[in-house]
Amino acid sequence: FDLKPPTYIFETVPEDSSILKHFEIPPVLDSTLTEIATTKFQFYVGPTLSGAPPHFHRSAWNALIYGRKRWFLFPPQYAFYSKQHVWDWWRQYKKESTTWECVQHPGDMIILPDMWGHAVINVKESIGVASEFIYGTSEFSL
C-alpha cells in the first residue's frame, strides 16, 4: 500500500502578524542597520519527512526555530525544478559531486544565493521563518 507523503506548510504572513513577534530578525539582516532588504516573511511548519522538492529562486534566507532540516544544494548551472514530493525525490536521490548537503539545526540560518537550486527534507518536525531578498539591493544578488 502507498502512504501519502506528509504536508509541509509554507505560507506568507503579514509583517504585523503576531507570529513574527516571536522571531527577531538577526542584526546582519536588519534593513534599518544595513542596505539588505527582504520582501515578505514566510512561516513554515512541517512534520518529519515533509519538505520542499528541488527548486530555485532569487536569493533568500531561512532561519530554523525548531527541529532539524537536511538541505540539498545545487549550483545554478545544475539547478532544476521537480513536482515530485521531496520524500519521493529523496528516496530516488543519488549523491552527485555537484550537490552540496548540510543539516540545519535550531538557531541556524541558511543564506541562499541567487538561483541556487535546493531541496529540503525535515529530519524532525520543523518550524521556521524565511524571506527572499529584494532583487538587486544586496550583495547576495547578481
Side-chain angles (χ1 to χ4, degrees):
F1 84 108
D2 193 22
L3 293 175
K4 193 172 184 178
T7 302
Y8 186 54
I9 300 168
F10 204 101
E11 293 291 328
T12 300
V13 293
E15 287 188 38
D16 61 349
S17 172
S18 63
I19 201 157
L20 291 174
K21 293 177 184 168
H22 301 282
F23 177 76
E24 184 177 323
I25 300 294
V28 69
L29 298 176
D30 185 342
S31 63
T32 63
L33 303 174
T34 69
E35 294 182 17
I36 299 173
T38 57
T39 54
K40 57 190 173 205
F41 293 97
Q42 297 166 312
F43 171 78
Y44 60 85
V45 60
T48 303
L49 301 182
S50 66
H55 66 286
F56 58 93
H57 47 70
R58 61 185 171 199
S59 51
W61 57 266
N62 183 300
L64 186 63
I65 296 168
Y66 175 83
R68 190 166 61 235
K69 299 166 76 91
R70 183 171 175 186
W71 286 77
F72 303 87
L73 304 165
F74 318 103
Q77 64 270 35
Y78 301 106
F80 63 99
Y81 275 95
S82 175
K83 292 184 179 181
Q84 194 174 24
H85 188 280
V86 70
W87 168 242
D88 295 326
W89 173 83
W90 183 64
R91 289 188 307 180
Q92 299 170 7
Y93 167 74
K94 294 186 179 30
K95 178 144 176 67
E96 303 284 336
S97 62
T98 56
T99 304
W100 298 2
E101 294 183 38
C102 65
V103 175
Q104 185 181 20
H105 298 271
D108 290 348
M109 178 179 284
I110 300 280
I111 304 285
L112 293 165
D114 276 342
M115 306 320 235
W116 270 69
H118 53 285
V120 178
I121 190 162
N122 292 322
V123 179
K124 287 179 58 177
E125 58 186 17
S126 297
I127 301 170
V129 178
S131 185
E132 290 183 14
F133 294 105
I134 295 175
Y135 190 75
T137 63
S138 80
E139 51 272 14
F140 299 111
S141 295
L142 293 174

